Amino acid sequence: MEHAEVDAVCLGQTQKYCVERPIYNQELLEGQLHRRERTPQTLRQKIAHSCRCSSKKAKSHLYSFLPILKWLPHYRVREYLLGDIISGISTGVMQLPQGLAYAMLASVPPVFGLYSSFYPVFLYTIFGTSKHISIGTFAVISMMIGGVAVREVPDEVITIGYNSTNVTDTPEYYSDRVTKRVQVAVTLALLTGIIQLCLGLLRFGFVAIYLTEPLVRGFTTAAAVHVFTSQLKYLFGIKTPRYSGPLSVVYSIAAVLSNITMTNIATLVIGLTCIVLLFIGKEINLRFKKQLPVPIPMEIIVVIIGTGVSAGMNLNKSYKVDVVGNIPQGLRPPAVPEIQLIPAIFVDAIAIAVVGFSMAVSMAKIFALKHGYTINGNQELIALGICNSVGSFFQSFSVTCSMSRSLVQESTGGKTQIAGTLSSIMVLVVIVAIGYLFEPLPQTVLAAIVMVNLKGMFKQFGDVTHFWRTSRIELAIWMVAFVASLFLGLDYGLLTAVAFAMITVIYRTQSPQYRILGQIPDTDIYCNVEEYEEVKEYPGIKIFQANASLYFANSESYTSALKKKTGVDPRAILAARKKARKRHAREVKAANKLKKQAVLKLVKSPTNDVEANVKHEIADDELPVNGKFASADASVQDTSPDEYEHFVEPKANIHSLILDFAPVNFVDSVGAKTLKSIIKEYKEVGVCVCIASCSGPVMNELTRLNFFDNTVTREMLFHSIHDAVLACQVKGRSALQAD
């Protein structure tokens, strides 16, 4: 029976406890515990249980799929409505110019940016779980869409079916090119939505964890550079082709610089003026954030002023300033996207789907944590999938969460998704009624809006110094994501960054830190002996810890580190013993030969008794080995295999080795074989190996891998390091008494 006595004493700020109990190994512990009886379900039972329907279960699934049914009936009109109205208007005012501007990034006419700012936003109100993020056009996603559109429909070539035709820059060519690029963007939105929808239904929301924060920040910083360079031609008012794929940034900058003499001065002046005004407005909003009831909508102000000046001075005809052009009134009828384009854009759709979801869920988590509610990652995938797939039938391109608009929606008092609905209604009014008023808007104004909105992303260059101080591996991930995305393109850059991030995980598990632990005196706490002066090792006991799991990639390094850290190499000891025995046998043989010769001489010279007796005594005495007498208790910790030859029977300087398995999360078949080999090898040199703090899942894995047998029993596993140490001390004293 277990006897336990607990005594807790409060001494000032320090509390102490004392527990008296048996030393538990795994076999003893399991013998005193009773496992709960669990009847495993068959596959048929699992399927039947999942397909079983009840009113409660149906209601739960309905509320999960349509979150609006859960929060809308409990909407507090007096408390929420005013904040949602102000927030919706403020966000909608930003949504209008950004929708027009980001459509240029996607290589489609501006009106399609307005479509993308209406349908998806309205759908997210119904299916989304975040109360504060603003769904719609976003610079990074628009840039990725534009890259695909330009790749599939280059400036010089019109793709008709599967044939390519070189044409001149005629109005017919321009119209066909725009139509084809819209088809690519819309089909890409459909495929992106289907991928997101499937991932959500299959509960694959965890895929976002593979896009770590350093990776996302490095990727978005590179995307910001791509976006900035793509807008230079609009800022300078020059005609250059749009590039996509590897080195597109270099080609774009080279094209702008080679045509810099063709700069339209009026376009440049308008663009720079708008940039200055936007920066001033943002700085005022930032400095007087607490004093202003709502942020100054500088973007819509710049758009209105730019449109008015352009229309009044007829800038398009007088100064050749490029303007937005035709914005058709009303909504387009639904149309089926071009399905035959799917094979060519499938990989791009995967990248856009994952990046879009990652951006949305990361912002949603930030606001949910701040305001004390939860979001459902899988439902967010479903919501984005519906927004993109359904929106594609109404000519909208892929969307996600916008960081700048989300911050405005939250900071201006938005409480629920109603704010997003109001912003989409504002966009609808522009599409249906007053969209034509923005036709004279200079493109350089939209380019200025895009460039200024990249300010937050460019600030991410400061991550380099931050990660340099905190984590070099995360800095490497950031740099690889940035450089690869900058020079290889956003699609291949993202794949490269994800692959590199996974390699760093393998590197960390393959090269873990190894430690020898010792006891803090008079406690059951064990720490690294190299880190703390107070920590002491038990004589004859080594405690080894690796902060990683044991599997095929690190099993060899685990064994090597174990031998190095403990100073005991069983193979070297056994090899040295073999050499020492051979040498001892040779020297014994030589001694016997010398003795035989002495006896023969004694027989031949019986008269010289004194001399014979002396020789006889010398022959009978134990002869030294290599000039030294062997010591059974000699330390071999720092002795090389060649020096072991000085000893007749080399021994390890420890009698027990404890492997701390607390950091081990899993063990595969190679790791189990390695562990069994370690136990066997150390046993041959008289060292008993114990395993401490092995978790239940790891124990089950070892059982499934047939790790336990007659030689390796559960008695070698202990509940804690201290249990193992106490048991090893008992064994060490028993071995000493036996000797």
Side-chain angles (χ1 to χ4, degrees):
M1 293 293 292
E2 178 184 357
H3 172 67
E5 182 181 346
V6 181
D7 181 21
V9 182
C10 183
L11 300 174
Q13 298 297 322
T14 305
Q15 290 185 337
K16 293 185 178 181
Y17 76 92
C18 176
V19 178
E20 184 181 345
R21 63 171 177 80
I23 299 171
Y24 280 122
N25 58 36
Q26 194 63 32
E27 190 167 341
L28 179 61
L29 188 62
E30 289 186 357
Q32 295 190 3
L33 297 175
H34 301 283
R35 288 188 177 273
R36 296 182 185 274
E37 293 184 5
R38 295 180 181 177
T39 305
Q41 287 185 326
T42 63
L43 180 61
R44 184 178 178 181
Q45 289 174 328
K46 290 179 180 178
I47 294 173
H49 179 73
S50 62
C51 294
R52 192 178 300 151
C53 186
S54 63
S55 59
K56 185 177 180 181
K57 191 173 183 180
K59 186 178 180 181
S60 174
H61 283 301
L62 182 63
Y63 281 179
S64 176
F65 185 70
L66 295 171
I68 192 172
L69 298 178
K70 193 173 183 180
W71 61 263
L72 188 59
H74 301 92
Y75 187 81
R76 303 173 187 173
V77 177
R78 292 184 179 180
E79 187 177 346
Y80 293 163
L81 186 59
L82 180 60
D84 282 341
I85 291 174
I86 295 173
S87 177
I89 294 173
S90 302
T91 308
V93 165
M94 284 187 70
Q95 191 107 302
L96 287 170
Q98 287 188 6
L100 296 169
Y102 293 154
M104 292 170 56
L105 283 177
S107 297
V108 296
V111 69
F112 292 93
L114 296 180
Y115 298 153
S116 303
S117 300
F118 168 64
Y119 292 106
V121 179
F122 186 76
L123 289 169
Y124 186 82
T125 303
I126 300 171
F127 296 98
T129 60
S130 176
K131 300 176 182 179
H132 295 92
I133 65 172
S134 174
I135 294 295
T137 55
F138 181 55
V140 175
I141 299 297
S142 299
M143 187 69 197
M144 295 176 74
I145 296 167
V148 178
V150 171
R151 186 192 69 209
E152 296 299 317
V153 188
D155 285 344
E156 299 83 7
V157 178
I158 302 175
T159 304
I160 305 174
Y162 292 97
N163 299 319
S164 298
T165 308
N166 291 321
V167 294
T168 57
D169 195 6
T170 62
E172 293 80 9
Y173 160 65
Y174 177 80
S175 177
D176 288 339
R177 183 182 66 188
V178 168
T179 302
K180 289 292 180 183
R181 286 182 176 175
V182 169
Q183 290 174 354
V184 171
V186 167
T187 307
L188 189 61
L190 173 65
L191 189 54
T192 299
I194 292 173
I195 292 170
Q196 290 173 330
L197 193 58
C198 292
L199 290 175
L201 293 173
L202 295 173
R203 298 294 185 262
F204 268 57
F206 65 87
V207 294
I209 65 175
Y210 292 104
L211 298 181
T212 65
E213 184 183 2
L215 187 151
V216 171
R217 293 177 74 86
F219 173 78
T220 52
T221 306
V225 177
H226 276 278
V227 172
F228 186 85
T229 55
S230 71
Q231 297 304 295
L232 288 175
K233 65 178 183 179
Y234 299 111
L235 181 66
F236 288 100
I238 56 181
K239 305 289 185 183
T240 63
R242 179 164 175 173
Y243 300 95
S244 64
L247 300 179
S248 59
V249 169
V250 178
Y251 295 142
S252 297
I253 294 174
V256 170
L257 293 177
S258 62
N259 292 280
I260 198 73
T261 55
M262 307 294 292
T263 299
N264 186 316
I265 301 301
T267 300
L268 180 61
V269 170
I270 294 169
L272 292 176
T273 303
C274 291
I275 289 175
V276 171
L277 291 174
L278 288 167
F279 269 122
I280 292 173
K282 285 187 176 292
E283 192 65 26
I284 292 173
N285 287 335
L286 184 64
R287 291 197 176 187
F288 301 98
K289 183 178 180 180
K290 295 181 179 180
Q291 287 81 2
L292 293 171
V294 293
I296 299 173
M298 207 63 201
E299 291 176 344
I300 195 66
I301 291 172
V302 165
V303 167
I304 293 172
I305 293 174
T307 303
V309 171
S310 176
M313 299 179 65
N314 199 5
L315 295 178
N316 180 239
K317 291 183 179 180
S318 302
Y319 298 95
K320 305 298 181 185
V321 174
D322 292 329
V323 296
V324 168
N326 181 44
I327 298 180
Q329 278 186 285
L331 299 171
R332 290 195 172 198
V336 179
E338 299 288 338
I339 306 299
Q340 65 269 21
L341 293 171
I342 287 178
I345 61 176
F346 183 75
V347 175
D348 304 284
I350 294 175
I352 292 172
V354 175
V355 172
F357 169 64
S358 177
M359 301 298 294
V361 79
S362 59
M363 287 297 293
K365 284 181 178 178
I366 291 172
F367 290 129
L369 184 64
K370 181 178 179 181
H371 293 276
Y373 63 93
T374 58
I375 63 155
N376 186 332
N378 292 311
Q379 181 59 29
E380 286 297 299
L381 262 176
I382 293 172
L384 284 173
I386 292 173
C387 291
N388 285 318
S389 57
V390 175
S392 67
F393 289 93
F394 297 92
Q395 288 76 50
S396 70
F397 52 83
S398 300
V399 296
T400 186
C401 161
S402 167
M403 290 186 286
S404 58
R405 292 197 306 272
S406 297
L407 291 170
V408 168
Q409 182 169 317
E410 187 265 344
S411 62
T412 51
K415 302 294 183 183
T416 65
Q417 292 92 320
I418 293 293
T421 304
L422 293 175
S423 68
S424 68
I425 291 173
M426 286 190 64
V427 175
L428 177 63
V429 171
V430 173
I431 295 172
V432 173
I434 61 173
Y436 68 94
L437 295 176
F438 295 102
E439 290 179 359
L441 176 64
Q443 291 184 359
T444 186
V445 175
L446 298 179
I449 293 171
V450 171
M451 288 178 168
V452 173
N453 278 318
L454 297 175
K455 178 185 176 184
M457 292 189 191
F458 282 129
K459 284 184 177 179
Q460 292 176 163
F461 278 111
D463 293 344
V464 175
T465 56
H466 169 71
F467 288 128
W468 177 265
R469 292 192 303 267
T470 57
S471 173
R472 303 293 171 84
I473 291 180
E474 290 189 333
L475 173 62
I477 294 173
W478 193 99
M479 292 299 299
V480 168
F482 174 76
V483 174
S485 301
L486 186 64
F487 293 108
L488 298 181
L490 297 179
D491 45 3
Y492 293 114
L494 180 64
L495 293 175
T496 303
V498 171
F500 181 78
M502 291 187 174
I503 289 172
T504 61
V505 175
I506 297 171
Y507 169 76
R508 291 188 185 193
T509 58
Q510 198 172 358
S511 304
Q513 294 181 348
Y514 300 103
R515 306 179 185 89
I516 293 294
L517 304 183
Q519 185 195 34
I520 297 178
D522 301 323
T523 71
D524 61 350
I525 301 172
Y526 293 82
C527 301
N528 187 358
V529 294
E530 296 178 359
E531 192 169 349
Y532 302 104
E533 296 178 357
E534 294 83 3
V535 174
K536 304 297 179 185
E537 291 186 73
Y538 280 108
I541 300 175
K542 289 285 184 181
I543 307 169
F544 179 76
Q545 183 194 72
N547 65 335
S549 297
L550 184 59
Y551 68 115
F552 69 93
N554 66 357
S555 57
E556 201 169 315
S557 63
Y558 185 93
T559 306
S560 301
L562 176 64
K563 294 174 181 178
K564 184 178 179 181
K565 286 286 186 180
T566 59
V568 179
D569 186 346
R571 293 182 183 179
I573 292 176
L574 292 173
R577 283 182 181 179
K578 189 175 180 181
K579 288 182 181 181
R581 284 169 184 167
K582 285 182 179 180
R583 179 176 291 277
H584 183 65
R586 287 197 303 268
E587 294 189 358
V588 168
K589 186 177 180 182
N592 289 336
K593 186 177 180 182
L594 183 62
K595 182 177 180 181
K596 188 175 181 182
Q597 290 174 353
V599 170
L600 288 174
K601 286 182 181 180
L602 182 63
V603 172
K604 291 179 182 179
S605 307
T607 55
N608 196 350
D609 293 336
V610 177
E611 184 181 352
N613 288 335
V614 170
K615 289 181 179 179
H616 183 69
E617 287 175 5
I618 293 172
D620 284 343
D621 287 340
E622 184 181 354
L623 294 174
V625 180
N626 287 340
K628 297 181 181 180
F629 288 93
S631 173
D633 298 325
S635 174
V636 294
Q637 182 175 358
D638 300 320
T639 312
S640 65
D642 293 335
E643 293 173 336
Y644 281 134
E645 298 177 10
H646 294 307
F647 303 93
V648 175
E649 277 296 324
K651 286 187 177 181
N653 63 321
I654 62 173
H655 57 75
S656 299
L657 173 61
I658 300 171
L659 304 179
D660 180 17
F661 261 43
V664 177
N665 294 321
F666 70 91
V667 176
D668 67 355
S669 59
V670 177
K673 289 177 182 177
T674 301
L675 193 57
K676 210 164 188 177
S677 175
I678 289 170
I679 294 171
K680 182 182 176 182
E681 287 182 359
Y682 277 88
K683 187 177 181 181
E684 289 178 357
V685 295
V687 178
C688 175
V689 178
C690 301
I691 300 173
S693 305
C694 187
S695 66
V698 174
M699 182 82 65
N700 295 335
E701 286 179 0
L702 291 175
T703 304
R704 284 195 298 268
L705 294 169
N706 298 319
F707 176 74
F708 300 105
D709 53 23
N710 294 331
T711 56
V712 181
T713 65
R714 295 177 186 272
E715 291 183 354
M716 303 172 68
L717 276 69
F718 291 87
H719 179 66
S720 67
I721 297 177
H722 199 58
D723 285 309
V725 168
L726 295 175
C728 290
Q729 284 180 319
V730 173
K731 290 180 182 178
R733 285 195 292 267
S734 301
L736 249 149
Q737 291 172 1
D739 291 342

